[in-house]
Amino acid sequence: MTNLKTALEKGRDVVARLNPGLEGILSEKYDALVPGFAESLTEWAYGRHYARPGLDLKTRQLCTISALTVLGGQTAPQLKVNINHALSAGATRTEIIEAIWQMAVYGGLPAAINGLNAAQEMFDEIDAKAA
C-alpha cells in the first residue's frame, strides 16, 4: 500500500524547512479568533501551493515576495516573514532585493520602497541576532 502524504503533512514538511515553529506561533496568535487557522494555513498555503511540483521553493518564495511588494506597505509583516523564508529556501539577499526592485515597474516606486524598507529591517534583525 502506498503511503501518500496529506496536504497538511506536506505543508508541515515545508514549514519545517522554512520556519520551524510557525504553525505553533500562528496557532497561539489566531486559533482563538479563528479555530483551526494555523492548521488551515499550513495545509492550504504550504501543503497545496508551496509543496507543488513545477517550481522550486526558492522561486516560489521570490514570487511571494514580489506579490507582497506590489500589494503595498500594509503587507510589511508578511513580507518580512517571507523574506526570511526565501533566505531559508536558498535565496540570496541580492535575489530578494532584485525581486522587490523589479516590482517598481509593476507596483510603483512607493510599493518598491516599502518592500526595500521591509527587507532592510529583516536583514538588520538577522544581522543583529548573528552578532
Side-chain angles (χ1 to χ4, degrees):
M1 177 168 193
T2 305
N3 182 12
L4 297 176
K5 285 190 173 187
T6 66
L8 180 58
E9 291 168 328
K10 290 176 187 177
R12 285 179 172 152
D13 289 346
V14 172
V15 168
R17 177 173 172 201
L18 297 179
N19 191 348
L22 178 65
E23 188 176 353
I25 292 166
L26 293 171
S27 179
E28 286 181 28
K29 188 163 185 173
Y30 298 110
D31 279 1
L33 296 170
V34 180
F37 174 88
E39 189 173 282
S40 294
L41 186 139
T42 301
E43 185 267 337
W44 188 73
Y46 293 96
R48 296 195 183 271
H49 293 273
Y50 284 99
R52 289 176 55 84
L55 286 176
D56 60 81
L57 197 50
K58 179 177 105 171
T59 302
R60 288 188 190 279
Q61 282 301 148
L62 291 170
C63 290
T64 301
I65 288 168
S66 299
L68 289 169
T69 297
V70 169
L71 287 171
Q74 76 277 6
T75 66
Q78 294 81 19
L79 183 55
K80 288 169 69 176
V81 167
N82 282 281
I83 287 167
N84 195 38
H85 288 180
L87 292 167
S88 294
T92 66
R93 290 181 181 198
T94 299
E95 290 170 322
I96 290 166
I97 293 302
E98 288 299 323
I100 291 170
W101 183 238
Q102 183 67 24
M103 295 306 102
V105 176
Y106 301 98
L109 282 171
I113 290 167
N114 289 336
L116 293 171
N117 288 335
Q120 188 62 62
E121 289 171 18
M122 190 73 248
F123 297 157
D124 289 347
E125 288 175 31
I126 292 167
D127 292 344
K129 287 179 186 175

